[in-house]
Amino acid sequence: MRYFLEFAYKGTNYHGWQYQPNAKSVQETLTKVLTTILKQEIDLVGAGRTDSGVHAKQMFAHFDCDLAIDILHISHKINSFLPKDIAVLDFHKVHDDAHARFDATKRTYEYHIHTKKDAFESDNSWYHQNDLDIEKMNDACKILIEYIDFECFSKVHTNVNTFNCKIYEAYWKKEKDKIVFTISADRFLRNMVRAIVGTFINVGLEKISLTDFISIIESKDRSKAGFSVPAHGLYLTKVEYNYIK
């Protein structure tokens, strides 16, 4: 039987989702606990990868199990074995061919910035105190949505067949001392969101114009785009499937 595991994690203490040979990952930590609790070897296939330090408010992974799972009971049991920065949210019984990565129809990320020093936000949000033109950054968002090829925002030497992504929405919102960027797409390239945010920051600081922003996208050249913002402000917030509500 195939199940989708729905979970969340704070990425501060992990070198990303995916297995690392000499570093602690979320995938390894979850797999060890599931294997212990279910008393069989479990192979978790994630909905995607997150880099070292990136957080997830909602993430999915699928696995096969010979046993019928008592979802409520097993969730409580697994959470009691997991460290405090990983939490199982739910299990979903799915069809045998369901795939956590390939079946995802939309993914949503948020990037969090705080503009006033906050002792409690140091692991959860990026501190950036310079004034930003949010209106101009939202104008750049409208431009971003018009394109599909985002090679300029992709990590170099990435082995992918296409740099095309369909962006459904992208916008900035400011509330008091907090600024949050939200972006949804069918897929994302490695380092794409952090590179987009860094480029938007340059727009907001008026280091580049909207015309420059267009030229950067059309150049397909990562070196022309902005810096990659720190990982600890980035959250995977939602992964959507047609058969999970």
Side-chain angles (χ1 to χ4, degrees):
M1 289 172 279
R2 179 156 293 186
Y3 292 90
F4 270 30
L5 174 66
E6 182 181 352
F7 56 99
Y9 55 87
K10 181 180 179 182
T12 306
N13 296 320
Y14 300 93
H15 288 258
W17 154 255
Q18 197 164 19
Y19 279 115
Q20 302 289 332
N22 299 304
K24 183 168 66 171
S25 70
V26 177
Q27 185 179 28
E28 178 185 19
T29 304
L30 265 172
T31 299
K32 284 182 177 178
V33 172
L34 280 170
T35 297
T36 299
I37 298 297
L38 298 175
K39 298 179 180 178
Q40 58 183 280
E41 287 296 323
I42 297 298
D43 181 23
L44 280 177
V45 178
R49 65 172 68 185
T50 55
D51 291 336
S52 179
V54 175
H55 318 292
K57 293 183 179 180
Q58 184 190 55
M59 176 65 150
F60 287 89
H62 77 250
F63 68 96
D64 295 326
C65 181
D66 296 336
L67 305 172
I69 293 177
D70 181 340
I71 291 175
L72 182 61
H73 172 73
I74 204 71
S75 295
H76 287 304
K77 192 170 184 179
I78 290 172
N79 276 327
S80 69
F81 277 79
L82 284 170
K84 62 184 179 181
D85 49 11
I86 302 177
V88 167
L89 305 177
D90 206 350
F91 282 86
H92 305 270
K93 177 73 173 66
V94 293
H95 58 87
D96 292 345
D97 296 325
H99 198 287
R101 179 184 173 192
F102 298 133
D103 291 356
T105 58
K106 184 191 290 188
R107 297 166 170 85
T108 301
Y109 281 89
E110 289 179 357
Y111 195 84
H112 291 229
I113 298 173
H114 57 289
T115 58
K116 182 178 180 181
K117 188 174 182 181
D118 188 327
F120 300 99
E121 290 282 9
S122 59
D123 290 335
N124 308 316
S125 177
W126 179 42
Y127 175 43
H128 182 81
Q129 60 181 330
N130 296 330
D131 289 338
L132 296 170
D133 187 333
I134 302 299
E135 184 177 350
K136 188 169 289 185
M137 291 160 72
N138 274 322
D139 287 339
C141 285
K142 295 173 185 175
I143 294 170
L144 185 77
I145 292 174
E146 294 176 357
Y147 287 85
I148 60 171
D149 187 324
F150 299 106
E151 185 173 359
C152 70
F153 298 126
S154 174
K155 192 169 184 175
V156 295
H157 308 306
T158 299
N159 185 23
V160 294
N161 294 323
T162 175
F163 293 97
N164 290 357
C165 307
K166 171 61 178 175
I167 296 180
Y168 298 108
E169 63 176 357
Y171 60 90
W172 289 86
K173 188 174 182 180
K174 180 176 173 59
E175 292 184 1
K176 297 183 179 179
D177 300 322
K178 190 86 172 180
I179 304 172
V180 178
F181 172 62
T182 301
I183 183 167
S184 298
D186 60 346
R187 65 190 287 264
F188 288 92
L189 306 167
R190 289 193 65 188
N191 205 57
M192 177 175 165
V193 179
R194 291 165 62 191
I196 287 175
V197 173
T199 308
F200 278 143
I201 294 295
N202 287 338
V203 171
L205 292 172
E206 299 186 347
K207 290 184 176 180
I208 61 173
S209 67
L210 294 178
T211 302
D212 294 332
F213 185 74
I214 293 171
S215 297
I216 288 168
I217 297 175
E218 294 183 351
S219 75
K220 302 183 181 182
D221 185 346
R222 177 65 186 92
S223 68
K224 296 187 183 304
F227 65 104
S228 181
V229 291
H232 64 269
L234 184 60
Y235 295 76
L236 174 62
T237 60
K238 193 171 185 180
V239 185
E240 298 180 43
Y241 300 90
N242 290 331
Y243 45 78
I244 294 180
K245 304 301 180 183

